[in-house]
Amino acid sequence: MSLSTRYGDFIDRAVHISELCDIVMELMERYEICLGINTILVIITCLDDQCTTIIEHIKRELRKCHPAKFDDDHSVIHMEKYYGLRLFGGLFIPKIKTYECLLPAAHHIPDREDGNLLIFNFAHIGYDDEKKTYGALVRHGHSKPTTACGAIISCYEKIRHGTRAPKDNDLKLLSKYLNGIINKYDIEHQDNGLHLLDLTVRAYEMQMPWLKSQLTALAVMDNINIMYIGGIEVDFSRTCEDITNDKIVVMDKFFIDKKGSHEQLNQLSPLELNTWRNLNK
């Protein structure tokens, strides 16, 4: 299958963060996940400053379901108290980044029988909507494009040209991980940047079996439930008037209970979602 066929509808599958949070809030209601009461919010993204904007947007949307009127109650977690984990590319490297990274978040849940982690985990890639190319974007306040994800692209270029691996240990591990993916899938340069999208998506996909096993171990060990929402954040080129147009392609939604059982989460149909929104206005 060609890359253009594999990713032909990729952008069409992307949803605005407000739409994503609507879906997540419905799932939270279904599983009695209450931010600020029995749940710590965890957001895992790249170190890129673009992803900081995404974090703030998600927190702003989810604040709508935070029980602010109970903020004086000592059992309430303020929305400002969330756990952020910044990884190069927003990626866990199998057998390197383990659930131990998330132990602090699990320990911040109040002493309740229904403690939860709500985890968002997004790799990211830049996209120029005008040129229809992946791997770079014009950031807010800039006139020229810059790479995104810079870490993934930098590692790819070093691998492609056979230059020395990065000195930074985390980047060196990322480079080794990406090199295995490039060789396995024979990823070659394309002018439209589809090779970078392919590399990013496959790097995200290949982390999942390991990450699921680690989250399962964490759920059982700390006797908590975990809801995981993951995928690819698409960083769109932006203008000064439009600073929140980034979107998310959701690739995984699952729930792990404290016994380690997994359940895939199916989102509502458009009709059901609109009904749910109207009921919660």
Side-chain angles (χ1 to χ4, degrees):
M1 180 188 295
S2 69
L3 292 185
S4 58
T5 300
R6 175 173 164 82
Y7 297 110
D9 66 341
F10 188 80
I11 293 298
D12 294 335
R13 290 161 51 198
V15 297
H16 286 288
I17 294 171
S18 58
E19 295 173 308
L20 170 66
C21 288
D22 275 347
I23 293 168
V24 172
M25 283 189 279
E26 185 279 328
L27 293 172
M28 289 165 57
E29 187 174 286
R30 190 189 306 175
Y31 287 85
E32 299 182 344
I33 290 177
C34 304
L35 279 183
I37 295 181
N38 64 0
T39 304
I40 284 285
L41 174 64
V42 179
I43 305 179
I44 304 166
T45 61
C46 185
L47 289 74
D48 193 300
D49 65 337
Q50 187 84 8
C51 300
T52 303
T53 305
I54 303 304
I55 292 171
E56 292 305 315
H57 197 164
I58 289 173
K59 289 171 62 181
R60 186 166 64 248
E61 288 296 320
L62 292 184
R63 181 175 284 280
K64 296 173 183 176
C65 65
H66 177 64
K69 63 182 178 180
F70 301 116
D71 270 355
D72 291 334
D73 187 329
H74 66 84
S75 67
V76 170
I77 307 165
H78 293 260
M79 271 295 291
E80 287 74 13
K81 186 176 175 62
Y82 83 103
Y83 188 76
L85 188 59
R86 310 303 289 271
L87 306 172
F88 280 120
L91 297 168
F92 283 87
I93 301 174
K95 301 185 180 181
I96 301 296
K97 303 289 186 182
T98 74
Y99 72 86
E100 293 177 358
C101 300
L102 295 172
L103 279 176
H107 292 166
H108 291 166
I109 300 171
D111 293 327
R112 296 172 54 108
E113 293 182 359
D114 57 346
N116 310 286
L117 290 182
L118 171 60
I119 299 177
F120 290 87
N121 176 207
F122 301 124
H124 77 121
I125 190 165
Y127 181 71
D128 190 313
D129 194 35
E130 185 175 316
K131 296 180 180 179
K132 310 298 182 189
T133 56
Y134 291 93
L137 75 153
V138 179
R139 298 169 186 271
H140 178 59
H142 290 248
S143 58
K144 295 181 180 179
T146 51
T147 55
C149 166
I152 291 176
I153 293 171
S154 175
C155 289
Y156 173 80
E157 290 299 327
K158 287 181 180 296
I159 294 167
R160 178 189 176 197
H161 296 293
T163 53
R164 186 173 298 177
K167 292 183 180 180
D168 179 272
N169 189 56
D170 283 349
L171 282 175
K172 188 178 295 184
L173 292 170
L174 176 64
S175 184
K176 182 179 180 181
Y177 176 49
L178 296 177
N179 189 39
I181 296 170
I182 290 167
N183 290 331
K184 179 176 181 177
Y185 294 101
D186 195 23
I187 297 175
E188 296 182 350
H189 176 84
Q190 295 195 29
D191 290 340
N192 58 6
L194 270 176
H195 64 292
L196 297 172
L197 176 61
D198 192 37
L199 177 58
T200 301
V201 171
R202 293 191 188 277
Y204 170 86
E205 291 174 337
M206 289 186 68
Q207 76 172 3
M208 290 311 298
W210 172 254
L211 180 55
K212 283 183 177 180
S213 71
Q214 297 302 290
L215 292 179
T216 302
L218 176 61
V220 173
M221 181 181 68
D222 261 46
N223 198 37
I224 58 174
N225 303 309
I226 298 174
M227 180 177 286
Y228 176 93
I229 313 293
I232 309 297
E233 169 196 330
V234 184
D235 304 321
F236 284 81
S237 290
R238 56 184 53 191
T239 66
C240 290
E241 293 77 29
D242 191 1
I243 62 172
T244 57
N245 59 341
D246 300 305
K247 295 183 179 181
I248 305 292
V249 177
V250 179
M251 299 179 65
D252 289 282
K253 298 192 301 296
F254 57 83
F255 183 83
I256 305 174
D257 68 21
K258 58 186 66 177
K259 295 181 180 179
S261 298
H262 288 230
E263 180 182 351
Q264 291 298 123
L265 302 176
N266 296 318
Q267 69 185 60
L268 296 175
S269 69
L271 178 59
E272 290 172 320
L273 185 55
N274 284 331
T275 301
W276 181 85
R277 285 172 179 162
N278 291 332
L279 289 173
N280 287 274
K281 281 183 178 180

